[in-house]
Amino acid sequence: MNMQSTDAIPASPAHSFPMNQWWVAGFTWDLKDAPLSRKILNRPIVFFRLPSGEVGALEDRCCHKELPLSCGKVEEGGLRCGYHGLLFNCAGTCIEIPGQERIPSKAKVISYPVKEQDKIIWVWIGATPDDLPTKAPPSYPIHGHPDFAVGGGGYHYDAPYQLIHDNLMDLSHLGYVHLKTIGGNARVHMNAETKVSGEGDVVRLVRLMPDSEPPPTYTAAWPFEGRVDRWQEIEFHVTHVRIWTGAMDVGSGHFDNPDRAGFHMRGFHGITPETDTTTHYFWSVATNPHPDRENAAQTVVEQTAATFDEDKAIIEAQYRNQLNFPTRSRLDIHVDVGPNRARRVIERLINA
């Protein structure tokens, strides 16, 4: 894990985000041979993987002529600037200036702590460069579970990050937005038994739909006998959301059994602000493929991506319209309990 330089240029303002958190910067498969430029919480950062496998995260700016370091190339010892060849290691220190033996002490850039774990790349964003990690990144072992197949991807949203939180914490919209995939009867979704709880910075929401019709994605992936007992369990964390959904034949198990039978989808949703009004959305889905359904896992991944295409269109249209009506108040209804509770967590952390 790389440490930030304590005498580097001060970080940019905090804006509207909780600081001193591990944020998702992407997945293992996003980082290949070339440097990867991403703006995280208004901070331009370049991510790169050395031939040794070590991952670095630096301010995307050379301290010499300010070319983005993402325009350079990865070498054995670090990341070389594409303008005059200054070479920076993962700590942000310049270790070579071509044609010059002496390296000034100020030849350095901000380095961000970064950790690759469970196929997820996490970056620590402190309120200042001195605010180093106080905890390990969240673990997500399902990415390596032998009984699950995993796929995923990423989106760029022209909308603030908390609108995506709202969408994920309220799955009642499935019956209206996702009819062809993971939806189902809209009335059943709107009337689903729902329980909301929380502890610390975590909000949990459980929605149960016993004796209901399985949606198209479910029937394509699993040979149900007919109607199903369906569940949706959502866990909100400040920097990501975990969603466990699935179904089993009616009466074949119990909702309180963590090892219940049937069809399972484990979703990971890394919601990372790019700026105050744009967002990175890194998602994965892990599913238990049925041996009698060929290509079932690929079907689940493809149809999950299709649902996110639909969500993206809805959320970006929603935000554009909010800009059209900046002074109008908005109504809360019963499905807003979970999203509102998550918003209160974010507000408390920002104010702190």
Side-chain angles (χ1 to χ4, degrees), residues 277-294:
T277 59
T278 59
T279 307
H280 299 292
Y281 183 0
F282 305 106
W283 67 272
S284 75
V285 61
T287 186
N288 56 331
H290 194 280
D292 295 337
R293 292 293 173 96
E294 188 177 356

Side-chain angles (χ1 to χ4, degrees), residues 1 5 24 38 40 53 85 89 104 128 138 155 158 172 185 195 216 245 248 282 308 315 336 339 341 349:
M1 182 173 67
S5 172
V24 181
R38 283 199 166 130
I40 308 287
N89 64 16
T128 74
Y155 286 91
D158 289 320
S172 66
N185 185 289
K195 296 179 180 179
T245 58
M248 53 190 167
F282 305 106
F308 294 152
I315 292 170
D336 297 316
R341 193 156 180 171
L349 291 173

